[in-house]
Amino acid sequence: FTVTGLKAGYYICEEVESDGDHVIDSAPQSFYISGKDQDIITLYFNNSPKGSVLVRKVSASDGSPLSDVEFLVTTSNGTVVGNANGKYVTDSSGSFLVEGIDPGTTLVVKETRAKPGYLLDDTPQTVEVKAGVTVTLEFRDKPEGGLIVHKLSSGDKKTPLEGVQFKITYADGRFADNKGGQLSSNGLYFTDENGLIVLDGITGTLIVTEVQTVPGYTIDPARQSQTVVINPDDTQELWFYNTPTTTLVLEKYLEGTTTPLKGVTFLVTDSSGRAIGSSNGEYITDENGRIVINDLTPGTTVVAREIKTPDGYVLDSTPKTILLKSGEVNTLRFYNRAAGTLVVVKLDKNDKTPLEGVEFEITYSDGRYVDADYGRLSSKGLYRTDANGEIRIPGIVGTVIVTETKPLDGYIVDEGTRTQTVQVNPGDTQTIVVYNTQGSSALIHKIDSVTNRGIYGVTFLLSDAKGNPVGTYQSDNNGYVYIDKELKDGKYTIREIECAEGYILDTVPKTVYIQYGGCETIVWKNTPITGQIQITKTSADYNINNGWPAGTVLPGVEFEIYDRAGNLVDTVKTDKNGVARSKPLPLGRYKIVESKAADFYALDKTPIEVEIEFAGQIVKAAMTNKSTFTNVSITKRGYKEVMPGQTIRYDFSDIGNNSSVALESFYWRDTLPIGAVRLDKITTGTWNAPGNYKIVYKTNLSSGYRLLADNLSTARNYTLDASPAALGLANGEAVTEFMAVFGVVPAGFRQVEAPKVTCTVLQGLTNGVQFTNVADVGGVYNNQWVMAVDRWVTTVYTPTDPTPLPRTGY
């Protein structure tokens, strides 16, 4: 590169960075610029190329490359090289390259993990890196040794024995871990079909012990355990022999496979029928499908017959015979066929969706229950379809009867397919598809042709298109008949066979068409046979409120009329002649209830029952009401004169309900002149009837009532602090009124101990000023208020003569 425009002076040029393949020339160079005409000054920097190290790993036996061998590469001072903490692994060529090393650097290379089957060579090698040169290091690993164990019959020393178990360990007790072929985590190995156990990648002293032989042979104790030394790249062989006995082996497999069947029971006898061995000659196959019977007498003819097989398999009862030969394993092999499978599928007939939860009973043709675990509800052959609409039962052989016992709600069983018979053969899968029809519905609404109200108790007969009765149904309190999910789609006829009392029977049938899964609605009117109810209301006694004598007709009395089902059918009111007339009503029984009495008369809610028995009949009913007296009272008294700042007390008497009837919303209230007094406390008094009440108050700054005390007992006399401080009133805020609220009180309700109110007269009132305190009481009867009011006037007295009174007592 060229640098121009330099001024006169001394300069230093130093290389600070090189490319990745060369070493920085770190020696700086200085030069001088004179500033006069001068040629270009040229500087030369020389960079040495970096070096590399190639590490190769080969087999010591044949020089073949070894992949997947791990090394650690560091500098001589222990600094790791590369980006993987100094870790390098040989590739398929058995090598790896360490590049970009500064010349003169000494690298240390050490093998940390060998290839399986080879011995680790952990002796490190060092090398000095040279500029631009790739230095090669070669590591050689010796192959580990191998072991071959032979297991043969001692009879001919040729017959291999498969399945004999050996335990192979090192001399220090470690389990021998095979680097290839058969694996074991506990040092146990089994001979293969050639009677061999082959172990690779093993070096050291091994102890090989025969643990268990195959049926029909005995272990030679003298040669049960053998020790062998295996050197690197060495293969050792050991031979073990077993002495055969006269043995019978029964083997049981699934037909067409080598899958052993456990739990098959055999009966083993000689040709005369005498049981062989223990358990009366009965034997059961183990997890390998075998039965082994040792130490038998040579020359005996043995008969073996299967007598019981596990569920899901077909019993093979054909016996097999064999003549036992001395010193041999005599084998009989049996096969069982797998039983069949039954699949029941339940679908919606319309859209073919699966139906879950449909119940079936499944039995054999001889009445035995098909008993399996799948989806079973009980031990009586009951099953229920799953989410796929299926019942799948393996292990069945024979004629099976499938009966649908309980469909889903809203579905109808097809009687033609409710019960089906199927033959299930061994190894066979039989599928039965059963459809259910979704039930359709009908809604009948029987109503009065005049009022459109539902009619109770009408009976209908529903018939199918062929005239076969489907069922009878009766309307409910609202006149409805709901036939819910019981009908197949098609044409139906509905006949009214019994009408409600007081109506004309409609004999004309109606035809309705029901669609699949739908609901058809029929509105059916009946014409009523009518009559009328007339009610006369008179006074039962002399009424002191209005002066009416006994027997006077009472206008304005209201009645409610109910039918037999409890429905309100009419509301009537007496006219000026004291007579109330109903609208035309169907024949039948009715109940009359007084809902509103005349003014100054007590309400009589005693029901009266009447019956309209024939068309046009007017049923008359006469009723009386007793007169009522309503009156409330209150008396309030206080001080006639008071002085500013003085305490004033008000006493209440005669607070009560003097009526002959109970009153609702009963209260008594006191209104205070806040320009003259401030409320201090309230003494509630006691009352002659048990109950609870509350006291509320208003202030000049509040629009509604606030609660002062609640759940007060009428039997206790309370003194309540109602001062501004106790009530937490704001500055300038004062109580304007308070009220005792009782709710409903009986006739004759009144005070026992007198209530009292204590107030403080305000300062600054002038002489002769008068103020009035107002109290009232009231209650409600028949939606009308009954009230009474009393007042008390007090005069303010302020002395005008400043002369003090004479002292006394001397």
Side-chain angles (χ1 to χ4, degrees):
F1 61 89
T2 302
V3 181
T4 62
L6 297 179
K7 297 180 181 180
Y10 288 95
Y11 291 86
I12 297 174
C13 183
E14 181 180 2
E15 181 178 345
V16 295
E17 184 177 349
S18 177
D19 65 0
D21 297 327
H22 293 78
V23 181
I24 293 176
D25 185 352
S26 59
Q29 298 185 39
S30 60
F31 60 93
Y32 176 75
I33 299 294
S34 64
K36 300 178 181 180
D37 293 338
Q38 189 175 8
D39 293 336
I40 295 175
I41 296 176
T42 302
L43 304 178
Y44 293 91
F45 287 81
N46 298 309
N47 290 84
S48 299
K50 294 185 177 182
S52 302
V53 175
L54 178 66
V55 178
R56 296 183 65 247
K57 185 68 177 182
V58 298
S59 172
S61 60
D62 57 9
S64 60
L66 299 180
S67 63
D68 197 34
V69 180
E70 184 179 289
F71 287 84
L72 176 65
V73 180
T74 65
T75 63
S76 57
N77 62 3
T79 303
V80 296
V81 176
N83 297 322
N85 291 325
K87 176 182 175 182
Y88 291 85
V89 179
T90 58
D91 57 18
S92 58
S93 67
S95 63
F96 64 85
L97 181 65
V98 184
E99 299 179 285
I101 307 300
D102 292 344
T105 302
T106 299
L107 295 186
V108 180
V109 183
K110 181 179 180 181
E111 182 179 345
T112 56
R113 189 193 69 212
K115 186 180 182 66
Y118 288 83
L119 295 175
L120 178 70
D121 180 5
D122 58 358
T123 303
Q125 297 187 39
T126 59
V127 62
E128 182 178 347
V129 178
K130 300 178 180 180
V133 176
T134 298
V135 181
T136 301
L137 293 179
E138 184 174 271
F139 289 79
R140 292 175 172 268
D141 278 353
K142 294 181 179 180
E144 292 185 307
L147 173 66
I148 301 176
V149 178
H150 299 264
K151 186 65 179 181
L152 304 173
S153 171
S154 64
D156 56 8
K157 296 190 178 181
K158 293 181 179 180
T159 303
L161 299 183
E162 179 184 1
V164 179
Q165 186 182 72
F166 285 84
K167 185 172 184 179
I168 304 176
T169 64
Y170 288 98
D172 59 5
R174 290 179 295 116
F175 297 133
D177 186 12
N178 191 15
K179 302 288 179 64
Q182 190 179 147
L183 298 177
S184 173
S185 61
N186 56 4
L188 295 178
Y189 296 88
F190 294 87
T191 56
D192 60 16
E193 65 273 11
N194 297 313
L196 299 177
I197 296 174
V198 180
L199 275 65
D200 295 324
I202 292 179
T203 301
T205 301
L206 295 182
I207 301 174
V208 182
T209 303
E210 184 175 354
V211 177
Q212 184 177 350
T213 187
V214 293
Y217 290 86
T218 58
I219 297 176
D220 182 0
R223 300 282 296 173
Q224 184 173 359
S225 183
Q226 299 185 44
T227 300
V228 62
V229 176
I230 302 175
N231 297 311
D233 201 14
D234 176 29
T235 298
Q236 295 290 330
E237 297 184 69
L238 296 176
W239 277 265
F240 289 80
Y241 299 97
N242 279 165
T243 302
T245 64
T246 302
T247 300
L248 174 64
V249 177
L250 305 182
E251 297 179 341
K252 190 66 171 181
Y253 298 98
L254 176 63
E255 187 175 59
T257 72
T258 58
T259 303
L261 295 182
K262 177 184 178 181
V264 182
T265 304
F266 284 86
L267 176 63
V268 182
T269 66
D270 60 17
S271 56
S272 67
R274 183 173 58 87
I276 291 179
S278 58
S279 303
N280 293 321
E282 291 189 7
Y283 298 88
I284 302 175
T285 57
D286 59 17
E287 62 273 6
N288 298 313
R290 287 179 174 176
I291 295 171
V292 179
I293 308 174
N294 294 311
D295 301 325
L296 299 178
T297 303
T300 303
T301 299
V302 175
V303 181
R305 179 168 57 88
E306 182 179 337
I307 59 175
K308 185 178 180 181
T309 188
D311 292 340
Y313 297 92
V314 181
L315 180 72
D316 180 7
S317 59
T318 303
K320 289 188 177 183
T321 302
I322 189 172
L323 178 64
L324 299 181
K325 296 180 180 179
S326 176
E328 292 186 7
V329 176
N330 302 269
T331 303
L332 290 176
R333 187 164 294 172
F334 295 80
Y335 296 92
N336 278 138
R337 290 182 295 170
T341 300
L342 173 66
V343 180
V344 180
V345 182
K346 172 60 78 172
L347 303 175
D348 183 293
K349 186 175 183 180
N350 183 51
D351 58 13
K352 306 302 185 292
T353 56
L355 301 181
E356 180 182 3
V358 182
E359 186 176 304
F360 288 84
E361 181 188 65
I362 303 177
T363 65
Y364 289 102
S365 58
D366 60 4
R368 291 179 297 116
Y369 295 121
V370 172
D371 192 16
D373 291 333
Y374 179 86
R376 191 176 72 236
L377 298 179
S378 69
S379 60
K380 296 185 177 180
L382 293 178
Y383 296 83
R384 183 177 290 161
T385 56
D386 61 16
N388 298 316
E390 290 188 359
I391 298 170
R392 181 179 297 270
I393 311 174
I396 294 179
V397 174
T399 302
V400 178
I401 300 174
V402 180
T403 303
E404 183 174 351
T405 57
K406 186 178 180 182
L408 293 183
D409 292 340
Y411 282 86
I412 301 172
V413 176
D414 184 354
E415 294 299 332
T417 60
R418 177 191 289 269
T419 300
Q420 299 187 47
T421 302
V422 62
Q423 179 67 38
V424 182
N425 297 315
D428 180 22
T429 298
Q430 291 291 336
T431 302
I432 297 177
V433 180
V434 185
Y435 297 98
N436 271 167
T437 302
Q438 188 173 348
S440 303
S441 304
L443 179 65
I444 305 170
H445 193 196
K446 173 59 76 170
I447 61 174
D448 187 296
S449 62
V450 177
T451 65
N452 287 330
R453 292 179 179 272
I455 303 174
Y456 168 78
V458 182
T459 304
F460 297 91
L461 173 64
L462 181 69
S463 303
D464 62 18
K466 296 181 180 180
N468 299 313
V470 175
T472 58
Y473 307 88
Q474 191 175 66
S475 61
D476 61 16
N477 286 350
N478 297 312
Y480 285 102
V481 173
Y482 187 37
I483 307 171
D484 186 18
K485 300 292 185 181
E486 298 178 17
L487 306 177
K488 298 179 181 179
D489 50 329
K491 176 183 176 183
Y492 291 86
T493 301
I494 305 174
R495 288 181 173 82
E496 181 178 331
I497 59 176
E498 184 178 344
C499 65
E501 187 177 23
Y503 288 88
I504 300 173
L505 181 69
D506 188 347
T507 59
V508 179
K510 294 184 182 293
T511 301
V512 62
Y513 293 90
I514 303 296
Q515 295 182 346
Y516 184 85
C519 180
E520 187 69 21
T521 302
I522 304 101
V523 178
W524 199 327
K525 296 183 178 181
N526 270 154
T527 302
I529 304 172
T530 62
Q532 189 183 55
I533 298 173
Q534 292 184 4
I535 309 162
T536 302
K537 177 64 90 169
T538 58
S539 176
D541 54 12
Y542 175 76
N543 193 312
I544 63 173
N545 296 288
N546 54 25
W548 292 353
T552 303
V553 296
L554 301 179
V557 183
E558 293 184 3
F559 298 91
E560 293 177 344
I561 302 176
Y562 296 87
D563 63 14
R564 188 172 62 177
N567 300 311
L568 178 65
V569 296
D570 202 4
T571 301
V572 296
K573 181 189 292 186
T574 56
D575 56 18
K576 64 181 180 179
N577 297 316
V579 179
R581 298 175 177 84
S582 74
K583 64 185 179 183
L585 297 174
L587 304 186
R589 297 188 66 83
Y590 295 90
K591 183 171 63 175
I592 304 169
V593 179
E594 184 176 334
S595 57
K596 183 179 179 182
D599 293 343
F600 309 117
Y601 284 89
L603 183 68
D604 185 0
K605 289 190 175 183
T606 304
I608 294 178
E609 291 192 358
V610 298
E611 183 176 8
I612 303 175
E613 300 180 281
F614 53 86
Q617 181 184 13
I618 298 176
V619 179
K620 296 183 179 182
M623 304 173 68
T624 62
N625 278 135
K626 292 182 179 181
S627 61
T628 60
F629 170 76
T630 57
N631 176 264
V632 294
S633 61
I634 186 170
T635 300
K636 179 173 184 176
R637 295 292 179 264
Y639 298 168
K640 290 183 178 182
E641 288 185 343
V642 293
M643 295 177 65
Q646 179 185 343
T647 297
I648 183 173
R649 191 185 76 194
Y650 294 98
D651 297 311
F652 298 83
S653 60
D654 298 327
I655 301 176
N657 172 24
N658 307 317
S659 309
S660 61
V661 292
L663 296 181
E664 299 175 352
S665 303
F666 187 80
Y667 74 93
W668 73 270
R669 175 171 51 188
D670 191 43
T671 303
L672 303 169
I674 65 168
V677 299
R678 291 291 182 267
L679 179 63
D680 287 332
K681 62 182 178 180
I682 303 168
T683 302
T684 62
T686 58
W687 308 85
N688 67 344
N692 295 92
Y693 64 99
K694 64 182 178 180
I695 294 180
V696 296
Y697 66 95
K698 281 185 179 180
T699 72
N700 59 333
L701 300 183
S702 64
S703 57
Y705 284 104
R706 302 176 185 173
L707 181 66
L708 175 60
D710 200 1
N711 291 321
L712 300 178
S713 171
T714 56
R716 289 185 56 189
N717 191 3
Y718 299 90
T719 299
L720 306 176
D721 188 351
S723 64
L727 299 181
L729 302 183
N731 188 27
E733 186 176 16
V735 176
T736 57
E737 64 177 80
F738 69 87
M739 178 169 58
V741 182
F742 292 87
V744 179
V745 298
F749 178 79
R750 61 193 312 100
Q751 69 181 64
V752 178
E753 295 180 72
K756 299 177 180 61
V757 175
T758 302
C759 302
T760 299
V761 181
L762 298 178
Q763 297 284 358
L765 297 180
T766 58
N767 187 53
V769 171
Q770 292 184 329
F771 56 87
T772 304
N773 186 290
V774 180
D776 63 307
V777 66
V780 176
Y781 174 72
N782 205 16
N783 296 322
Q784 293 186 351
W785 278 100
V786 182
M787 302 177 67
V789 181
D790 195 16
R791 295 171 174 83
W792 184 257
V793 179
T794 302
T795 302
V796 176
Y797 166 73
T798 303
T800 57
D801 184 3
T803 304
L805 297 174
R807 297 179 68 182
T808 61
Y810 294 93

